Amino acid sequence: MNITDLTVHELQEKLKNKEITILDITKAYTDRINEKEKDVQAFVTPLVEEALKQAKTIQEKIDNGEIKGDFAGIPIGIKDNICTKGIKTTCSSKMLENFIAPYNATVVEKLEEENTINLGKLNMDEFAMGSSTEYSYFKKTKNPWNLNKVPGGSSGGSAAAVAARLVPWALGSDTGGSIRQPASFCGVVGLKPTYGLVSRYGLVAFASSLDQIGPITKDVKDSAMLLNLITGHDEKDTTSSNKEKVDYTKALKNDVKGIKIGIPKEFFGEGINKEVKEALEKAIEKYKELGAEIEEFSLDIANYALAIYYIIACAEASSNLGRFDGIRYTYRTPEFKNLREIYKKSRSEGFGPEVKRRIILGTYVLSSGYYDAYYKKAQKVRTLVVNEFNKAFEKYDVILTPTSPTVAFDIGSKSNNPLEMYLADICTVSVNVAGLPGISIPCGVDKEKMPIGMQLIGNKFCEETILNAAYTFEQAIKFRENYKPEI
């Protein structure tokens, strides 16, 4: 038995039957990190020694009856834009290279209450701006299915770590597809919850009206379990929902008979890779076999969602990143003559090219004379996007699309072409614009054996519906049993 091959619910079963211990699990993962991290480059700050010490302490407390709980001693990886008290939170940026968070994000507090073990902080595109994890200041994470390919982004470190079995599951953040797109590229499950379902307190803000923390896992059941742990109202986050707590694992019924699935034809047109389209068509046929009702329809806002997203996201980034000025807790240039130079040189030296690009674009669309033409208009069209989705959900329970128009691309092939890189998010951004839940699950591989992701979108706070639809499909095709990464 290889412990790192097991899902979290399988680990729990073996712990319950006393077949393995907490120390066995943690040592299996720390050994795996020591062996494979040099190839994958998923971590900014690995916590190998700390994790082993914590595992020993938790095991002793469990043996003495001091602590109980299904998740005590289960390891996890955390994306490096989620604050962890006493541990570096760098956002993969030179600007925060030495920043040690003085507090925990709410999601981290919830995990610590369950006595989970943090295996380390995971690499990402700088300040979550990117679709390939090539924009990290520290390193380029590799795709475990093929080390010459990108893992996607911005949560590429989280997705690659789960796929390479360096962590059993991980937290990522999703602003325009940053959980779902890397999950698709790395052949794992990525869930972006409804906006407000999971607290954003302690998540370093990129675009506050779009950002959402969510799970990246080996399978759908693990995704439902991790979602259970991190949801709930938080008074520290004014956008946090007051919705009553739900046990999402109870939604996994392995039955989609009578569920109405809408297929928006705009997502299957020009620009979608032929093999991706064929894999999605097979998935649609599988849903028909399983008893779902399938219907094609038009969701024409898809043509505008990418433009709306980049205007709103860059505007909010320009505002949010104003706090990183070289004066307080961030990087400060060593050479300056006056206050103006501190600001200018610290930000010029501290931010990478993609972050600068988005700040400039955001400042432009918020500036006098352009605000009405761009930002205000984008917010109006955003309302149309929400209305279009509302109309679609009057008829359908789930909307099915590709997660990405392509499989993972070669490292370096798009990093010099920002517009081409932005198009990698074309299938995912509308979900964030409308504040909806979306899940990406693997539905096949291409001829090079690279994973292909399928996205299931639900109405607001209908995570149970998309989790069940994803779980039923997963049980039918057994992707994890049939395909494995090269690492």
Side-chain angles (χ1 to χ4, degrees):
M1 175 186 66
N2 189 335
I3 287 173
T4 61
D5 285 338
L6 303 175
T7 61
V8 172
H9 56 88
E10 288 167 344
L11 290 174
Q12 288 176 327
E13 192 63 31
K14 295 206 175 290
L15 283 169
K16 192 176 169 185
N17 297 334
K18 300 198 183 303
E19 293 174 51
I20 54 174
T21 66
I22 300 302
L23 206 52
D24 291 334
I25 296 170
T26 309
K27 188 155 189 339
Y29 275 103
T30 54
D31 286 350
R32 178 93 181 149
I33 291 167
N34 288 333
E35 182 191 355
K36 298 294 184 184
E37 167 58 11
K38 64 183 185 300
D39 300 318
V40 182
Q41 300 282 292
F43 287 87
V44 174
T45 308
L47 299 170
V48 171
E49 295 305 318
E50 296 88 339
L52 288 168
K53 283 179 195 167
Q54 204 179 345
K56 194 176 176 187
T57 304
I58 289 171
Q59 187 65 62
E60 285 170 3
K61 287 184 176 179
I62 289 171
D63 294 342
N64 296 335
E66 292 175 51
I67 57 172
K68 290 179 181 174
D70 294 338
F71 298 95
I74 298 292
I76 191 166
I78 310 284
K79 187 176 178 180
D80 206 23
N81 60 346
I82 299 171
C83 287
T84 42
K85 187 176 181 179
I87 301 165
K88 278 187 184 180
T89 299
T90 71
C91 293
S92 289
S93 176
K94 182 178 180 179
M95 187 61 87
L96 290 175
E97 185 176 4
N98 298 307
F99 173 64
I100 295 175
Y103 68 98
N104 279 326
T106 296
V107 290
V108 174
E109 286 289 343
K110 286 175 181 285
L111 293 172
E112 288 195 353
E113 284 166 16
E114 297 288 339
N115 294 292
T116 61
I117 295 170
N118 184 1
L119 284 169
K121 303 300 288 292
L122 295 160
N123 198 28
M124 55 185 279
D125 285 299
E126 184 183 6
F127 284 103
M129 298 182 196
S131 305
S132 64
T133 315
E134 293 174 280
Y135 295 129
S136 167
Y137 170 67
F138 301 105
K139 56 181 74 172
K140 287 179 171 65
T141 299
K142 316 292 193 303
N143 191 315
W145 291 76
N146 180 335
L147 295 174
N148 296 313
K149 307 275 187 186
V150 302
S154 63
S155 305
S158 298
V162 173
R165 308 190 311 283
L166 305 180
V167 298
W169 56 4
L171 286 183
S173 69
D174 192 310
T175 307
S178 289
I179 285 173
R180 290 158 290 149
Q181 186 251 24
S184 172
F185 281 10
C186 292
V188 293
V189 176
L191 173 65
K192 181 258 165 198
T194 303
Y195 184 78
L197 186 65
V198 177
S199 171
R200 290 183 299 109
Y201 178 76
L203 173 68
V204 179
F206 161 16
S208 305
S209 74
L210 302 165
D211 297 339
Q212 191 60 72
I213 296 169
I216 296 178
T217 58
K218 291 175 182 172
D219 72 357
V220 176
K221 187 172 181 181
D222 277 5
S223 190
M225 285 169 22
L226 187 47
L227 189 63
N228 279 349
L229 294 185
I230 61 175
T231 56
H233 178 66
D234 180 13
E235 60 186 20
K236 294 178 193 151
D237 175 5
T238 55
T239 60
S240 176
S241 163
N242 258 321
K243 190 176 184 290
E244 195 176 317
K245 271 279 239 187
V246 170
D247 181 356
Y248 293 101
T249 60
K250 289 182 178 172
L252 310 180
K253 294 177 178 153
N254 197 11
D255 180 13
V256 289
K257 289 185 184 69
I259 284 181
K260 292 181 179 173
I261 300 178
I263 313 294
K265 60 187 180 186
E266 289 81 3
F267 285 79
F268 290 83
E270 195 181 336
I272 301 295
N273 174 279
K274 182 171 175 275
E275 289 179 84
V276 170
K277 190 175 180 181
E278 285 170 3
L280 267 291
E281 285 168 351
K282 280 183 188 171
I284 290 164
E285 288 306 311
K286 178 58 72 177
Y287 271 119
K288 284 180 184 173
E289 284 173 35
L290 294 166
E293 296 174 23
I294 308 287
E295 185 177 294
E296 193 181 76
F297 76 108
S298 180
L299 191 68
D300 58 5
I301 48 83
N303 299 325
Y304 311 109
L306 199 66
I308 299 163
Y309 168 78
Y310 275 100
I311 290 171
I312 293 170
C314 292
E316 293 183 10
S318 168
S319 175
N320 279 325
L321 271 62
R323 71 194 72 173
F324 304 119
D325 54 11
I327 300 295
R328 288 163 278 194
Y329 47 82
T330 57
Y331 167 82
R332 179 183 293 184
T333 184
E335 295 178 16
F336 56 89
K337 292 173 187 166
N338 51 45
L339 185 63
R340 187 182 180 85
E341 270 202 10
I342 291 179
Y343 288 141
K344 185 177 176 181
K345 291 177 78 174
S346 296
R347 286 170 69 83
S348 296
E349 294 163 18
F351 289 134
E354 182 59 27
V355 174
K356 289 177 191 170
R357 190 179 292 124
R358 297 199 194 194
I359 289 172
I360 290 166
L361 180 57
T363 305
Y364 175 80
V365 301
L366 289 174
S367 62
S368 175
Y370 296 103
Y371 178 91
D372 285 356
Y374 293 103
Y375 185 72
K376 192 174 177 183
K377 188 172 280 186
Q379 290 290 15
K380 285 179 177 177
V381 182
R382 183 181 198 170
T383 305
L384 296 180
V385 172
V386 172
N387 293 341
E388 279 293 304
F389 272 114
N390 287 342
K391 198 163 78 178
F393 285 118
E394 286 173 13
K395 194 167 186 184
Y396 308 110
D397 302 303
V398 174
I399 294 170
L400 186 156
T401 76
T403 307
S404 170
T406 67
V407 294
F409 43 87
D410 290 341
I411 291 168
S413 64
K414 295 188 180 183
S415 52
N416 294 321
N417 188 335
L419 286 178
E420 204 174 318
M421 186 76 83
Y422 296 166
L423 287 170
D425 297 330
I426 197 161
C427 298
T428 52
V429 292
S430 56
V431 173
N432 299 77
V433 168
L436 301 172
I439 190 169
S440 176
I441 58 168
C443 66
V445 295
D446 72 354
K447 64 187 174 195
E448 291 183 6
K449 298 286 183 268
M450 292 304 293
I452 294 167
M454 171 175 70
Q455 177 177 228
L456 301 172
I457 305 166
N459 205 351
K460 283 186 181 176
F461 302 109
C462 289
E463 275 77 3
E464 291 147 291
T465 307
I466 58 170
L467 281 164
N468 179 52
Y471 178 75
T472 306
F473 180 82
E474 179 186 75
Q475 296 304 301
I477 72 157
K478 307 282 184 195
F479 180 86
R480 287 185 68 243
E481 291 175 24
N482 296 316
Y483 303 104
K484 302 279 183 206
E486 133 186 327
I487 278 288

